Amino acid sequence: MNPSKPTKVFNDPVHGHIELHPLLVRIIDTPEFQRLRYIKQLGGIYYVFPGASHNRFEHSIGVGHLAGCLARELRDRQTDLGITDTDILCVQIAGLCHDLGHGPFSHLFEKQFTTYTKPEFKHEDVSVKMFDHLIASNNLKEEISESDLIFIKELIMGCPLSDELKQEVWPYAGRPEEKSFLYEIVANKENGIDVDKFDYFARDCYHLGIQNNFDYKRFLKFARVCDVGNRKHICVRDKEVWNLYNMFYTRYGLYRRACHHRVVNVIEIMIGEAFRKADQYIQIEGSNGGSFTISKAVDDMAAYTKLTDAIFVQILYSSDSKLSDAKKILEKIVQRKFYKYLGEATPNPNNTQSLDKKQLLEELAKAVAAEDPNMRCTSEDFVVDVFLMDYGMKEKNPIDKVHFYSKNDPKEAFHIEKGQVSYLLLENFSERIIRAYCKKTDDENILKASKKAFIKLCQDKGFSIRQGYGAAAGDH
């Protein structure tokens, strides 16, 4: 791997003109990476926000670029860290390849398809498998040493550091313990502050038309490495604490306004249903001429390379009678005939009772029957979705995991408590949301009874009905 080769320039609408090493360009120019051109970055959001037409391809290039920016800033600011050109190139490759494992429509594939068909699926695991396949299939193994390949795959997976502080032996093989901070650049498992988020905040907000209040360029300027325990961590100047709260609030806003928009929600549910109904009837050619269904393709990288958003159109325009049920669902999406929204509720944050979708479905069907005994419906006629809205670390405040330094003592790392920032900050950093939809869209009596039943069910459970989201809010 020769880090000194001349770079090539890409014109990116978010980051401007960016320079990439020829090895990065060789990786980009492979079928495995080019596949990302055909996977929407924001999945079903494109069917609600027409500007959200960008793909995993450009996001991945952006992450590779920002990974290099952060690594170079740290090297130039602290020459004693021993960051080499090869280190920087490895971090860039990891940023470039971190999303190779995403399936059709990105996170939709995990949330609405593999959750039901292959629960153990994680796109990070498949990204590592696809990276190995990319390297082997394109004669790139001679370009990257074995230790660097290990390092890149560790970066793609994301390696926790603080949980391992008590271990006497450094648990990772790609780089030694004194370079532990490099593991926080692409996929930071400590506090979620990484260049992956820097790019998707900027890029997603740009395409969605949503204001981005986080300035990642300030973070790059004020980041430095400090000793914390027996590890080195990336820390940020204490005065940047508000910028970081803005970052996590931006994340929450993106999820609330776009990713979990109630129409996006039902569209992704319907696409997932269609894919599950089509699964066994779709055959994708893979290794050694074998054929794989959608759910089996994730185990064969040759087949998975061919699995993209195009599967939607394949089902939609198919004349195969076996795909008719899946096709009808996708036709409803195209015709904007979505399942009808019944309402939204949230439990009190102190309520820790489990929320089982199947149980809630059965309870909703019984509640509808109780509302009007003449209603003929079952749990199959409804969809209940339960999801978590948070700042990226479930109920925890991610800023509690961030290390800061001061101008007067840039080598000393410390935490900043929420009360030291402002008493106006949040008390809770997560909430569970319950939404319900009805599949019988043409029966006004069932819809009316279902809305009332959902509200009553939630009230009986002590849930808060969201104003502006519930059935009483008006026209749906």
Side-chain angles (χ1 to χ4, degrees), residues 198-327:
F198 294 175
D199 183 84
Y200 83 66
F201 288 161
R203 194 172 303 278
D204 293 357
C205 286
Y206 173 84
H207 287 280
L208 289 166
I210 293 175
Q211 182 69 37
N212 177 20
N213 293 320
F214 173 67
D215 184 358
Y216 74 82
K217 292 179 182 178
R218 281 189 65 85
F219 182 93
L220 296 183
K221 293 300 180 186
F222 289 104
R224 66 178 291 114
V225 174
C226 299
D227 291 322
V228 181
N230 59 338
R231 297 280 151 80
K232 294 181 182 293
H233 285 273
I234 296 176
C235 305
V236 67
R237 178 78 180 276
D238 50 3
K239 69 177 183 176
E240 291 305 299
V241 64
W242 270 113
N243 195 26
L244 296 186
Y245 272 107
N246 276 334
M247 187 193 88
F248 287 107
Y249 186 76
T250 296
R251 180 189 186 277
Y252 172 82
L254 274 174
Y255 276 73
R256 164 54 76 180
R257 297 172 64 184
C259 301
H260 289 300
H261 186 288
R262 73 183 193 194
V263 180
V264 170
N265 202 188
V266 73
I267 287 172
E268 295 200 336
I269 287 169
M270 293 173 73
I271 293 175
E273 283 186 2
F275 285 0
R276 296 197 300 273
K277 288 181 181 294
D279 183 19
Q280 61 181 313
Y281 306 116
I282 296 289
Q283 296 295 314
I284 304 167
E285 185 179 352
S287 300
N288 303 316
S291 293
F292 299 82
T293 62
I294 300 173
S295 56
K296 295 295 185 183
V298 301
D299 297 320
D300 183 90
M301 292 302 99
Y304 199 59
T305 301
K306 301 171 185 175
L307 184 59
T308 67
D309 292 2
I311 201 78
F312 183 105
V313 176
Q314 181 182 344
I315 297 168
L316 180 65
Y317 296 142
S318 175
S319 57
D320 188 341
S321 60
K322 295 176 181 177
L323 293 172
S324 60
D325 288 343
K327 180 177 179 178

Side-chain angles (χ1 to χ4, degrees), residues 368-419:
V368 174
E371 185 71 30
D372 187 340
N374 295 319
M375 293 294 104
R376 294 185 177 180
C377 55
T378 68
S379 59
E380 295 293 319
D381 297 318
F382 301 98
V383 174
V384 172
D385 195 26
V386 179
F387 56 90
L388 187 72
M389 294 286 293
D390 61 15
Y391 268 36
M393 295 187 70
K394 297 184 178 180
E395 74 283 352
K396 297 177 182 177
N397 178 1
I399 303 300
D400 290 341
K401 296 287 187 178
V402 179
H403 293 96
F404 297 89
Y405 69 89
S406 67
K407 182 179 180 179
N408 294 331
D409 190 357
K411 293 185 178 181
E412 181 69 24
F414 56 88
H415 291 294
I416 297 179
E417 300 296 327
K418 183 159 61 75

Side-chain angles (χ1 to χ4, degrees), residues 53-67:
S53 58
H54 57 304
N55 303 303
R56 287 281 155 185
F57 179 82
E58 48 265 45
H59 164 63
S60 297
I61 291 176
V63 176
H65 163 65
L66 291 181

Side-chain angles (χ1 to χ4, degrees), residues 47 267 270-271 329-336 338:
Y47 289 91
I267 287 172
M270 293 173 73
I271 293 175
I329 296 173
L330 298 187
E331 286 175 340
K332 287 182 179 179
I333 293 174
V334 172
Q335 297 163 8
R336 315 297 287 183
F338 310 130

